[in-house]
Amino acid sequence: MIVLFSKKDLRRLLIPLIIEQILAVLVGMADVVMVSAVGEAAVSGVSLVDSISTLIIQLLAALSTGGAVVCSQYLGKKDAKNASVAANQLLLSTFLLSVFIMIVALVGNRSLLALIFGSIEADVMSNAQTYFFLSAVSYPFLAIYDACAALYRSMGNSKVSMNTSLCMNAINVVGNALCVYGLHMGVAGVGIPTVVSRATAGIIMLVIVRNPDHLIHVDRRLRLGFHPQMIRNILRIGVPAGMENSMFQLGKILVQSLVSSLGTASIAGFAVANNLVQFEYLPGTAIGLGMVTVIGQCVGAGEHAQARQYTNYLLKVNYGILAVLAVLLTALSTPLVGIYNLSPEASSIAVALIVVHSFAMIIWPVAFALPNALRAASDVKFTMVTAVFSMWAFRIGLSYVLVLGFHSGVMGVWIAMFADWGFRAVLFFIRYRSGRWLPQRPQKQAVGQ
């Protein structure tokens, strides 16, 4: 049996992915600090637009994941030609979708903001309009970056996207500092560096991915062609993942609106806890992205036993890193919360949420990292139905029952979230153990294995 991925290969794939995730979180925190210097109206406007942008980013990322699965499976079959055809179609479909979204956002700007958020203060709306316009311009560049990064992950090379991400985030942070603190450009000083950084990253990735020496590449002259069946294969995985991500983001918005009814201390404590526990998700998110490549290639090669072995191994790695992070975050929760200068009540809420969250994280890898193995094997409908049902029944439904019915406060929202994790974990674990997530093979291949 040929081993598809050595431990060195896995390290080369996963370490850059983890670094890239850490960068994203740290830069996000830096952005919040710099936006706050513009004023509360700017912070509010940017926050509103970010909730829309997050939804769009997740849609584009889901489509890129669909392309990554298709390309990985072709590589597993040693079919580099079709992998490159799939790469062309992924780039084409993500770019066209992002251009359509950009046009809708630019034309509908104020109307869309009013439709989604209702009546908001004039200065908040003005800032939101400016930031939404600039964010929309950046969507096609972000789509190109996401698609190309997914292609490199399919080849087991995540270092390219990590280095490009370093460049993109450096431009964003330096640009924000210059435009906000130096040029006093207001909310535009936050939006313009976003456009420039994403454009730079998208162009860099597009130039690199055209190199014919790479196993997967797009046409040098960008003659992408049109292959409806290949696009359907990508959408077959990308659309359910996109629906799942969309429902997840919508659920978070609904839960956030519930938290906003619990008072200032609860809002602040919940926000800070949410901000800090992002670090506990980092290894699982990175490993989940890596699973798409590893398990996708195993499935494409018909190596189902290796698909299971790598899934088990990657979950163990996730738990090992998570144990260290959870212990550190629990031990340092009080001083970390102290950085945010909250009231004693809000600080107490934040610390309690962090400690409980760290213990509950024992469920998370099975609930959120494991289903990436199922998706890599094209078992996308099961993961979508499970995730959407669990979100509405537990994270949303149970939150409202516990908070409004039992007056459990913000901790009730946390408990409902853990129930969501638990339900997902049980169903995904059962599905994984059953083997029904793996594609059926001819009987002669299955016998005796």
Side-chain angles (χ1 to χ4, degrees), residues 45-128:
V46 169
S47 177
L48 293 178
V49 173
D50 276 345
S51 64
I52 300 174
S53 291
T54 299
L55 179 59
I56 293 168
I57 289 168
Q58 288 180 343
L59 286 172
L60 296 174
L63 191 57
S64 295
T65 297
V69 169
V70 172
C71 290
S72 295
Q73 291 183 1
Y74 275 124
L75 288 182
K77 296 173 185 176
K78 308 299 182 185
D79 189 351
K81 181 179 178 181
N82 269 320
S84 290
V85 172
N88 285 332
Q89 299 309 290
L90 173 62
L91 185 60
L92 175 67
S93 54
T94 51
F95 180 72
L96 291 178
L97 175 61
S98 65
V99 169
F100 173 76
I101 294 172
M102 177 188 71
I103 292 172
V104 171
L106 293 177
V107 173
N109 194 304
R110 184 184 179 90
S111 300
L112 285 172
L113 291 171
L115 177 66
I116 296 170
F117 301 111
S119 178
I120 55 179
E121 295 178 10
D123 53 349
V124 174
M125 175 60 82
S126 176
N127 281 299

Side-chain angles (χ1 to χ4, degrees), residues 374 379 382 427-437:
L374 278 59
D379 189 20
F382 179 84
L427 265 64
F428 289 144
F429 182 74
I430 292 172
R431 182 75 168 185
Y432 174 68
R433 289 297 299 271
S434 72
R436 285 183 291 174
W437 57 286

Side-chain angles (χ1 to χ4, degrees), residues 186-449:
V187 77
V190 181
I192 291 173
T194 297
V195 177
V196 174
S197 63
R198 289 177 177 176
T200 303
I203 291 169
I204 289 172
M205 293 296 281
L206 186 59
V207 169
I208 296 173
V209 83
R210 291 163 57 247
N211 187 343
D213 293 335
H214 294 157
L215 198 57
I216 297 178
H217 58 272
V218 300
D219 186 83
R220 285 188 67 86
R221 297 182 181 177
L222 297 180
R223 296 171 298 189
L224 303 179
F226 181 64
H227 300 271
Q229 184 56 49
M230 191 68 78
I231 291 177
R232 278 194 290 270
N233 289 340
I234 293 171
L235 293 177
R236 183 169 53 87
I237 299 166
V239 169
M243 291 180 63
E244 182 181 333
N245 289 348
S246 299
M247 290 297 103
F248 187 77
Q249 181 62 22
L250 177 60
K252 288 176 70 175
I253 292 171
L254 291 174
V255 170
Q256 184 66 44
S257 69
L258 178 62
V259 172
S260 66
S261 68
L262 298 176
T264 304
S266 292
I267 296 170
F270 184 79
V272 168
N274 247 327
N275 196 252
L276 289 172
V277 298
Q278 296 301 314
F279 287 101
E280 294 182 331
Y281 301 141
L282 295 180
T285 302
I287 287 169
L289 290 171
M291 274 187 179
V292 170
T293 298
V294 175
I295 309 307
Q297 288 196 29
C298 290
V299 169
E303 293 287 350
H304 293 181
Q306 286 196 58
R308 287 181 176 276
Q309 289 167 6
Y310 285 124
T311 301
N312 294 340
Y313 175 75
L314 290 172
L315 282 175
K316 289 176 183 176
V317 171
N318 191 170
Y319 274 110
I321 301 173
L322 177 59
V324 175
L325 288 174
V327 169
L328 284 174
L329 196 58
T330 299
L332 299 174
S333 57
T334 299
L336 286 173
V337 169
I339 295 173
Y340 291 82
N341 296 315
L342 300 177
S343 68
E345 183 184 358
S347 295
S348 176
I349 290 171
V351 170
L353 291 174
I354 291 169
V355 171
V356 172
H357 186 280
S358 296
F359 281 101
M361 279 298 291
I362 193 171
I363 311 170
W364 194 92
V366 180
F368 288 91
L370 178 60
N372 281 286
L374 278 59
R375 294 185 190 100
S378 302
D379 189 20
V380 290
K381 290 184 180 178
F382 179 84
T383 57
M384 179 192 71
V385 172
T386 299
V388 171
F389 174 81
S390 185
M391 167 63 73
W392 285 96
F394 295 101
R395 187 172 300 212
I396 299 173
L398 187 57
S399 286
Y400 277 80
V401 170
L402 292 176
V403 173
L404 301 181
F406 291 88
H407 307 290
S408 57
V410 72
M411 188 61 75
V413 173
W414 231 231
I415 292 170
M417 180 175 71
F418 302 150
D420 171 31
W421 295 1
F423 182 83
R424 292 172 190 243
V426 170
L427 265 64
F428 289 144
F429 182 74
I430 292 172
R431 182 75 168 185
Y432 174 68
R433 289 297 299 271
S434 72
R436 285 183 291 174
W437 57 286
L438 290 165
Q440 295 298 310
R441 294 179 294 184
Q443 188 63 29
K444 65 178 182 179
Q445 288 181 293
V447 173
Q449 294 188 7

